Amino acid sequence: LPARVATDTEIKWVCGCCGALRPRYKRLVDNIFPEDPEDGLVKANMEKLTFYALSAPEKLDRIGAYLSERLSRDVARHRYGYVCIAMEALDQLLMACHCQSINLFVESFLKMVRKLLEADKPNLQILGTNSFVKFANIEEDTPSYHRSYDFFVSRFSEMCHSSYEDPDIRTKIRMAGINGLQGVVRKTVNDDLQSNIWDPQHMDKIVPSLLFNLQCGEGTESRSPSPLQASEKEKESPAELTERCFRELLGRAAYGNIKNAVTPVLMHLDNHSLWEGKTFAVRCFKIIMYSIQSQHSHLVIQQLLGHLDSNSKNSATVRAGIVEVLLEAAAIASSGSVGPTVLEVFNTLLRQLRLSVDYELTGSYDASGNIGTKIIKTHEERQLQEAVIRTIGSFANTLPTYQRSEVMLFIMGKIPVPGVHPALTNAGSGGNEGTRMIQIMLLKSLVQVTTGFQTTNMLTALPNSFLEPLLSFSLMEDPEVRLLVLTILLRVIDRHDNTPKFSRISIISDISVLKLKVDKCSRQDNLFMKKHAQQLYRHIYLACKEQSSGPQHFETLYTLLALISMELANEEVVVDLIRLALALQDLAQTNEESLSVYNRCAVHALSAAYLNLICQLTTVPTFCQHVHEVIEMRQKEVPFLLPEGVFRENPKLPATLDKLEGDVLFQQSKITEVLGGSGYNTDRLATPYIPQFTGNTCLCQAMHSPFYENCVSIQIFPDLTVSLEPMQTLLVQYLPHSHVSSHIIWNHVEHLSHFDDNDSYVLSTLPRPPPSPSGTISSGYGQTQSRSVPVYEMKFPDLCVY
């Protein structure tokens, strides 16, 4: 029979019969798709499919595979309406089903998402991302051993960097990428069976993608500082979404993951030269410090310190940017969060300070002195140095008092002393100028560390190991060094914030207007003054003898005297301070130091201002009357001997200052009489103050003299003839009563073997050291002998006897 073409009715009947033979799950899946994709998902049929999946969970993987097959076909045929319906169905099934077979269904789901993300249509990419985010928010009942999200990390990171031509679509793609990364993090961060999202291979993609979008949105932040004022569009900007995602990522970071999360940030800032602007770098690390767990703050700080070290030879602007970030990070870190290596933090910062000084002086990053390829700009290095100093203070403010005291001692040990640190006089460090600059920088660092320093026990705040070297620097010729030393003393001694009330030296007629805070001197304060008072008085006296002192020095000395009077004064201290003020008057009057007219007038004015203050603090009417009479007489006859006449612009000073007499001087006899009548110790008051030069202080003063440099420069070898005259001069002028000096000189002498007649005479004039407790004594010119020294014959310092 000839072949016959089947009619349309017959074809439909055959297909219907075949359709009835198809598996039920396929029929249920087919029924959710309408004839017109514009009508959307058939909800009634979707409910049937969901019920079937819940009733027969073993069919779930087949449902997923079939949906995947249909979606792939629709994508290839550009039937995007049906693609959207398929993804909606997959989403609903995921939300409803949490059975044992969900893992196989998820594989089909992720395969479909991947298919959409690989498409070149932005709408499909966004559709796939939205489905993935919904899936990421689902907590699965069963773990997966073989699932991988590597593709999604890479693809979402790529979408974050989208450069699509249309700006609106570009923004949507980037936001989809950010949402996708957030979803990956949520899905994997707490799942031990997944590949570790904190691995560098993932973090090196995720973090830079987030930072890229955060940086692109810097302008919107300034336009809308308040979230309440931001427009709806700005609320949905990539930058806002990125910051939320970045904060969530950091908030989930455990102790061992902080480094992997922060390292890409450092690399991104390096690669894109973002340290120099500082604004974005600071913003990034503010987000980091506020987002991570507070107990992990020190890990971030340590990474920044290490990064600073690795950039030691980079430009000053880069190093300054890192230091500024450290400054902000330290301010955010809670107290004590700097970590166990507190001194290492300060050691790193001080090392950078030293390097910066070397770079500034040599003009090169190469220690050998060769000119580097980069031009070193002095003003940039100075900005870096100031930034390091501020950062040191910021770190110190996070520490408890006892740790801050350790830091103060640590920094003091780093300050070079001329002649004691010969390495600092080489060409690489700029010689004496390099030493001076480092001294100033480290003293400025101490000023920052002592800012806001509060202690109840001055003995622990100013131990001898800190106070002795600090006061030795108050004898330096450099006026800036001396001023910094005085400032440090003010910061430590002032425990009631009285310093601002004495910022200007003046004659105050009624000190009650200052509203001073004065507490009774504690037992610890009395012990401190008993031990160190003479040191303080002596250095104040010596500071007034310096020719290079200016108005600021005298104002600071006045403040120091005032603070001692209010913080550490008992009756004995008050008497000594009055004697010191009168001794300063005698210093300016006799002028044995050949001071300039300005300096002599300034010392007179300092003495007057302080006696005016102390007389009102003692509240002895006759004492106040005498002081006020002298001040009134000076105002009439010699106004240049008062603060108001000296410490001003263009003071009117006489060409010469003849010896003063009469009523313009404060009379020690008169003051002794009026204070003696009020119960003060008349014997002490009647005795003029004379600075007591102890061995240690004399040695400190001698170290800053030209004679000391002559001594320390002598190379001592057993077979070398040397001249000891500089040593004799040093001892005669600076160390007349110092057993310490005797030990120093004779220890050197014991290594010598050849002397001429002159040297023998010099040695005969040197005082010999007292017997040592060990029983070994010097018998002369390098020979030693031993004898037993009974304990009762040993002479111990007073402070060693209890």
Side-chain angles (χ1 to χ4, degrees):
L1 295 173
R4 184 172 67 85
V5 178
T7 64
D8 292 341
T9 303
E10 290 173 334
I11 292 174
K12 289 182 179 179
W13 180 83
V14 171
C15 291
C17 292
C18 294
L21 297 175
R22 300 177 71 206
R24 186 182 178 192
Y25 74 88
K26 287 189 176 181
R27 286 185 277 121
L28 289 172
V29 169
D30 291 338
N31 291 339
I32 67 173
F33 292 92
E35 292 185 6
D36 184 0
E38 296 293 333
D39 295 338
L41 183 67
V42 180
K43 294 183 179 180
N45 292 337
M46 186 64 217
E47 291 176 359
K48 293 178 182 179
L49 178 61
T50 303
F51 180 77
Y52 176 78
L54 291 172
S55 302
E58 70 278 2
K59 302 291 185 180
L60 190 57
D61 59 327
R62 299 184 185 182
I63 295 173
Y66 184 57
L67 276 169
S68 175
E69 179 185 341
R70 286 202 55 148
L71 187 140
S72 298
R73 185 170 63 247
D74 291 335
V75 170
R77 295 177 180 178
H78 306 291
R79 300 168 65 180
Y80 301 128
Y82 287 122
V83 171
C84 294
I85 292 173
M87 289 309 300
E88 186 178 354
L90 284 168
D91 293 343
Q92 291 193 23
L93 287 173
L94 274 175
M95 297 296 292
C97 302
H98 294 280
C99 58
Q100 295 293 329
S101 303
I102 189 70
N103 283 329
L104 295 178
F105 178 76
V106 168
E107 292 304 320
S108 299
F109 169 80
L110 292 178
K111 182 179 179 182
M112 288 302 93
V113 173
R114 180 168 182 165
K115 189 75 175 179
L116 295 177
L117 293 176
E118 288 175 339
D120 57 356
K121 298 291 184 181
N123 290 340
L124 294 184
Q125 296 173 11
I126 295 170
L127 177 64
T129 303
N130 292 339
S131 292
F132 182 85
V133 171
K134 292 177 184 177
F135 159 70
N137 292 326
I138 297 174
E139 294 185 7
E140 299 181 54
D141 295 336
T142 56
S144 173
Y145 294 86
H146 56 280
R147 197 181 302 160
S148 174
Y149 295 97
D150 291 1
F151 165 79
F152 296 99
V153 171
S154 299
R155 184 58 182 146
F156 289 139
S157 298
E158 185 181 347
M159 292 170 64
C160 288
H161 292 85
S162 173
S163 57
Y164 201 85
E165 293 181 359
D166 189 321
D168 291 335
I169 296 177
R170 180 172 65 241
T171 298
K172 290 179 180 178
I173 294 174
R174 289 185 179 181
M175 292 183 68
I178 297 166
N179 277 318
L181 290 178
Q182 188 177 33
V184 172
V185 172
R186 288 179 179 176
K187 199 65 181 172
T188 59
V189 72
N190 294 322
D191 192 345
D192 295 334
L193 299 176
Q194 303 300 330
S195 60
N196 193 353
I197 197 67
W198 301 106
D199 285 345
Q201 60 179 353
H202 299 310
M203 285 292 107
D204 289 347
K205 297 175 183 176
I206 294 174
V207 173
S209 301
L210 297 177
L211 295 180
F212 172 76
N213 284 277
L214 193 64
Q215 184 184 359
C216 292
E218 279 198 293
T220 59
E221 184 182 33
S222 61
R223 288 197 301 268
S224 299
S226 172
L228 298 177
Q229 299 173 355
S231 67
E232 196 66 29
K233 183 176 181 180
E234 285 178 333
K235 285 182 181 179
E236 296 299 323
S237 68
E240 295 288 337
L241 181 61
T242 297
E243 184 170 337
R244 290 199 300 270
C245 181
F246 194 32
R247 289 182 183 277
E248 182 178 342
L249 173 69
L250 296 165
R252 293 174 180 269
Y255 181 87
N257 302 325
I258 294 293
K259 182 178 180 180
N260 288 348
V262 174
T263 299
V265 178
L266 299 174
M267 295 302 103
H268 182 83
L269 296 173
D270 285 344
N271 296 335
H272 298 276
S273 302
L274 295 173
W275 292 111
E276 299 178 11
K278 292 183 285 190
T279 304
F280 180 70
V282 168
R283 182 186 177 193
C284 286
F285 276 90
K286 278 186 175 182
I287 293 174
I288 292 172
M289 296 301 292
Y290 281 122
S291 300
I292 62 175
Q293 300 176 43
S294 59
Q295 66 268 26
H296 299 160
S297 297
H298 68 279
L299 297 177
V300 179
I301 291 172
Q302 286 175 353
Q303 273 190 270
L304 282 167
L305 289 168
H307 200 66
L308 180 60
D309 270 343
S310 64
N311 282 274
S312 292
K313 293 189 177 181
N314 213 323
S315 66
T317 52
V318 171
R319 285 177 282 136
I322 301 174
V323 171
E324 288 288 348
V325 171
L326 270 168
L327 177 64
E328 295 293 336
I332 295 171
S334 58
S335 178
S337 67
V338 175
T341 57
V342 173
L343 294 183
E344 186 58 33
V345 171
F346 291 92
N347 194 38
T348 300
L349 293 171
L350 294 177
R351 182 166 58 249
Q352 291 299 321
L353 201 58
R354 170 69 179 275
L355 285 172
S356 179
V357 171
D358 285 346
Y359 295 158
E360 179 183 344
L361 292 171
T362 62
S364 170
Y365 294 116
D366 188 355
S368 64
N370 297 326
I371 300 299
T373 56
K374 298 178 181 177
I375 299 175
I376 293 179
K377 299 178 181 178
T378 301
H379 73 279
E380 291 181 352
E381 291 295 340
R382 290 290 174 90
Q383 290 173 358
L384 168 64
Q385 293 158 14
E386 295 299 324
V388 172
I389 291 171
R390 291 196 307 271
T391 304
I392 288 173
S394 182
F395 272 111
N397 288 334
T398 68
L399 300 176
T401 301
Y402 76 94
Q403 280 190 320
R404 206 188 293 201
S405 298
E406 292 177 1
V407 171
M408 290 161 57
L409 279 171
F410 180 74
I411 297 176
M412 179 58 70
K414 295 283 185 181
I415 303 178
V417 178
V420 177
H421 298 271
L424 293 174
T425 61
N426 58 24
S429 296
N432 293 331
E433 178 61 19
T435 301
R436 173 189 170 276
M437 288 181 63
I438 293 171
Q439 288 173 341
I440 290 174
M441 294 301 168
L442 295 182
L443 287 171
K444 285 183 176 180
S445 300
L446 272 176
V447 170
Q448 289 293 323
V449 173
T450 53
T451 300
F453 184 74
Q454 292 290 333
T455 180
T456 56
N457 191 341
M458 201 60 67
L459 280 170
T460 58
L462 288 174
N464 199 58
S465 55
F466 179 80
L467 188 61
E468 277 283 359
L470 179 66
L471 290 177
S472 73
F473 285 103
S474 70
L475 305 176
M476 297 284 287
E477 292 183 4
D478 192 306
E480 186 174 1
V481 170
R482 298 201 308 273
L483 188 59
L484 289 170
V485 170
L486 293 173
T487 304
I488 293 167
L489 284 173
L490 294 184
R491 298 286 174 90
V492 179
I493 293 176
D494 186 9
R495 292 172 290 187
H496 296 90
D497 298 323
N498 286 318
T499 298
K501 300 169 184 177
F502 300 101
S503 57
R504 281 193 73 253
I505 179 171
S506 60
I507 301 297
I508 305 170
S509 58
D510 183 6
I511 64 170
S512 62
V513 299
L514 299 178
K515 298 181 180 179
L516 300 174
K517 300 175 183 176
V518 183
D519 284 342
K520 185 178 180 181
C521 192
S522 66
R523 179 176 176 273
Q524 290 84 357
D525 293 340
N526 287 331
L527 289 174
F528 173 81
M529 292 304 289
K530 186 177 181 63
K531 184 176 182 181
H532 297 296
Q534 295 304 320
Q535 287 176 283
L536 293 172
Y537 305 152
R538 180 170 53 252
H539 284 83
I540 292 173
Y541 182 85
L542 295 175
C544 292
K545 295 167 63 175
E546 296 289 344
Q547 288 278 9
S548 57
S549 294
Q552 203 169 356
H553 291 82
F554 290 105
E555 289 175 356
T556 310
L557 286 168
Y558 170 69
T559 306
L560 179 59
L561 286 167
L563 291 179
I564 293 175
S565 305
M566 291 181 293
E567 296 281 353
L568 304 169
N570 52 31
E571 181 178 315
E572 182 178 338
V573 171
V574 169
V575 170
D576 283 339
L577 288 171
I578 294 171
R579 293 169 60 220
L580 174 60
L582 293 171
L584 292 178
Q585 177 179 261
D586 293 340
L587 170 67
Q589 177 78 342
T590 58
N591 196 27
E592 293 178 357
E593 301 295 327
S594 301
L595 296 174
S596 65
V597 172
Y598 174 83
N599 284 68
R600 293 177 66 189
C601 293
V603 174
H604 272 298
L606 170 64
S607 176
Y610 178 68
L611 286 173
N612 173 70
L613 174 67
I614 195 68
C615 76
Q616 296 183 62
L617 289 174
T618 57
T619 64
V620 177
T622 50
F623 182 24
C624 294
Q625 181 181 354
H626 173 66
V627 171
H628 291 160
E629 287 174 354
V630 174
I631 291 174
E632 288 177 3
M633 188 61 66
R634 287 190 179 187
Q635 289 172 340
K636 294 177 182 178
E637 299 184 5
V638 282
F640 48 82
L641 298 186
L642 293 175
E644 292 77 7
V646 180
F647 304 116
R648 65 177 188 178
E649 292 185 10
N650 303 318
K652 296 179 180 180
L653 303 179
T656 59
L657 189 63
D658 297 330
K659 190 171 183 179
L660 302 171
E661 295 179 355
D663 296 337
V664 296
L665 295 177
F666 300 99
Q667 303 297 326
Q668 180 156 353
S669 58
K670 179 69 174 178
I671 294 175
T672 301
E673 178 185 349
V674 296
L675 288 179
S678 298
Y680 286 86
N681 189 325
T682 55
D683 293 336
R684 291 181 64 84
L685 283 169
T687 307
Y689 171 78
I690 300 175
Q692 298 179 12
F693 293 88
T694 62
N696 289 344
T697 304
C698 293
L699 188 59
C700 293
Q701 185 178 6
M703 286 195 304
H704 304 303
S705 71
F707 301 103
Y708 179 80
E709 295 181 3
N710 292 334
C711 290
V712 298
S713 64
I714 297 175
Q715 300 294 326
I716 298 178
F717 295 99
D719 298 323
L720 182 64
T721 301
V722 297
S723 175
L724 297 176
E725 289 183 359
M727 293 186 185
Q728 182 193 31
T729 307
L730 173 69
L731 289 177
V732 171
Q733 294 201 15
Y734 291 95
L735 308 171
H737 306 293
S738 175
H739 294 307
V740 177
S741 62
S742 302
H743 280 295
I744 294 173
I745 300 301
W746 282 104
N747 284 341
H748 286 298
V749 167
E750 289 176 1
H751 293 85
L752 303 178
S753 58
H754 300 288
F755 304 93
D756 55 24
D757 295 337
N758 187 40
D759 295 336
S760 299
Y761 170 75
V762 171
L763 285 173
S764 67
T765 64
L766 297 179
R768 290 192 173 274
S772 63
S774 62
T776 302
I777 60 174
S778 300
S779 61
Y781 305 119
Q783 303 298 320
T784 60
Q785 66 181 31
S786 299
R787 73 175 180 86
S788 177
V789 181
V791 174
Y792 57 83
E793 289 186 7
M794 296 181 188
K795 294 184 179 180
F796 295 96
D798 293 340
L799 294 177
C800 296
V801 181
Y802 296 90

